[in-house]
Amino acid sequence: GINDTGKSFLQGQADTTGEFDLDSVLSFPAGRAFIRRHTADGRTKVEMFTLSPIPDVPLAAGDRVQIVDLLANNHDETIQITGFVPYPGPQTLSSGLTVRSAILSAGGFLPYADPAHSRLEVPNDSTGATTRALVLDSALTTSDAYLPMPPQGLIAIPRRLDRQNLEVVTLSGEVVRPGVYALLTKDETFSSIIKRAGGLRPECYAEAGRLMRSDFGGSGRVVFDVLKAIKKPKSKYDIPMRTGDDIYFPRRPVTLQVIGTVNNPGLVTWQEGASWKTYVSMAGGYGDSANVDDVYIKLPTGGIQTRSDGIDDPMPGSVLVVPHGKPREPIKIGEIFSGINMILASVIAGLTIYVLLNK
């Protein structure tokens, strides 16, 4: 309800057994309402409404409403809290309000707050403000915590610079202990994460390990030598991890895939020492329009080998691609007539020579 001065209204928790709004719970000549509420994503927001006339604003459980009477000349009787508290915003200045009680009324400190570097800003009599450093601890037991709050004073709670959001990477597949791992340092490397996870399982296909990453340049697979990164820690192959990285190690396959212009595309059994031509034969051989010269293979490591550069014996899990050949260009009408004219010229020349020889 309205407090003893008749100047402000503070509502804690709404009764949700009925339907309430500002119009139904207030009878106020003129003023301004501040409603502090939680949003669906867990954040806190403060909404301001004028009260002439009183708006039809629904209230929900947990909403905190503060009313300031604009006719009561009490503009100096408010304080403000900003920064890392659950409920930042204005508060009514009541008798005996201290720094401690104001912070507690705002929900206390958030985990990343830095009480030791808080400050109190007080407006001067003329212009500007005076800033005072507050010596506070997380329990609000210091002498500064019991300082009385001045009218229109502002308490600013900054963020701790030594506390950062947890940076994690995800490791899955054929490793001993898959899961989410927090980065121990900003430059922790790929091999360090694998070591902390207990290493790779015997059935792991290490060569085909995949690192997926999203950054300012886009997102996709990072192509690097996974085996060398694991075997040579802190070398140039052992790349630093970034928060959000996703590492996956598959089980070693026993097949590879042949696709494109072959007679029977699909999976074929991998054979030790077999060449790429063997796998084309296993897939039924080339199709009628196959482009044999541009055959290429996509390796499970993320790399590509082309026939022009040389294709090694394919690894299990590879994808062998036989592209289509370029279609023949249609013969133009002019070329047809040009060919006919050449034939006719040859025939006429031959007849002429024949006639001359028989005279």
Side-chain angles (χ1 to χ4, degrees):
I2 300 175
N3 68 7
D4 295 337
T5 65
K7 296 179 181 179
S8 64
F9 176 92
L10 180 63
Q11 176 169 314
Q13 183 133 339
D15 182 0
T16 56
T17 58
E19 294 183 357
F20 295 90
D21 53 37
L22 283 179
D23 189 35
S24 64
V25 301
L26 295 180
S27 176
F28 221 78
R32 184 169 296 157
F34 296 90
I35 304 179
R36 186 181 302 141
R37 56 181 39 156
H38 294 290
T39 59
D41 58 0
R43 298 177 181 271
T44 301
K45 67 175 181 179
V46 177
E47 300 180 38
M48 188 275 290
F49 302 92
T50 58
L51 299 178
S52 181
I54 297 175
D56 185 12
V57 180
L59 300 179
D63 286 354
R64 303 179 67 187
V65 182
Q66 179 179 343
I67 306 298
V68 177
D69 184 2
L70 300 180
L71 301 180
N73 192 28
N74 66 340
H75 307 300
D76 292 339
E77 298 184 5
T78 59
I79 60 108
Q80 187 97 335
I81 296 187
T82 64
F84 283 79
V85 291
Y87 307 110
Q91 291 185 21
T92 301
L93 179 61
S94 57
S95 177
L97 184 69
T98 63
V99 169
R100 183 179 190 275
S101 55
I103 293 174
L104 291 177
S105 179
F109 297 115
L110 288 173
Y112 292 101
D114 188 0
H117 291 87
S118 301
R119 64 183 188 276
L120 174 62
E121 298 182 353
V122 183
N124 292 330
D125 293 336
S126 54
T127 58
T130 300
T131 298
R132 169 176 177 168
L134 293 174
V135 180
L136 301 176
D137 57 11
S138 59
L140 291 169
T141 59
T142 63
S143 58
D144 279 4
Y146 293 92
L147 289 172
M149 282 299 301
Q152 290 217 346
L154 181 146
I155 302 174
I157 313 295
R159 179 191 178 115
R160 284 184 58 176
L161 298 180
D162 61 338
R163 292 286 296 273
Q164 301 295 329
N165 291 330
L166 198 62
E167 297 187 344
V168 298
V169 300
T170 302
L171 179 60
S172 59
E174 301 301 323
V175 292
V176 176
R177 290 187 295 272
V180 177
Y181 286 81
L183 296 179
L184 300 181
T185 65
K186 291 184 177 180
D187 296 321
E188 186 172 11
T189 62
F190 183 83
S191 67
S192 174
I193 297 293
I194 305 306
K195 182 178 180 181
R196 288 169 56 196
L200 307 178
R201 296 174 63 87
E203 60 271 25
C204 176
Y205 191 19
E207 300 95 319
R210 296 197 297 268
L211 169 60
M212 306 300 292
R213 173 175 294 176
S214 297
D215 57 22
F216 294 109
S219 60
R221 181 173 182 172
V222 180
V223 179
F224 67 109
D225 196 320
V226 174
L227 281 181
K228 287 184 178 179
I230 296 174
K231 294 179 179 179
K232 298 181 178 181
K234 299 182 180 180
S235 68
K236 63 179 181 180
Y237 306 103
D238 194 14
I239 64 176
M241 295 289 95
R242 296 291 179 264
T243 184
D245 282 354
D246 193 329
I247 305 169
Y248 172 71
F249 282 97
R251 185 184 293 259
R252 186 176 182 86
V254 294
T255 60
L256 59 81
Q257 190 174 17
V258 183
I259 62 174
T261 314
V262 290
N263 292 317
N264 190 23
L267 294 174
V268 296
T269 304
W270 179 80
Q271 298 178 6
E272 182 79 32
S275 69
W276 65 270
K277 293 181 180 180
T278 301
Y279 297 112
V280 171
S281 299
M282 294 172 66
Y286 298 115
D288 292 338
S289 58
N291 183 355
V292 179
D293 294 332
D294 290 334
V295 171
Y296 66 95
I297 190 166
K298 293 189 282 188
L299 303 174
T301 59
I304 292 179
Q305 292 182 348
T306 63
R307 185 174 184 184
S308 58
D309 294 331
I311 298 177
D312 299 327
D313 293 342
M315 303 166 59
S318 298
V319 179
L320 179 60
V321 183
V322 180
H324 291 278
K326 294 182 179 180
R328 288 179 133 188
E329 294 185 2
I331 300 176
K332 299 179 180 179
I333 298 296
E335 294 176 348
I336 294 175
F337 283 116
S338 177
I340 294 174
N341 290 335
M342 290 179 63
I343 293 172
L344 289 175
S346 299
V347 172
I348 292 171
L351 290 174
T352 302
I353 294 173
Y354 176 79
V355 172
L356 292 174
L357 291 175
N358 287 279
K359 281 187 176 182

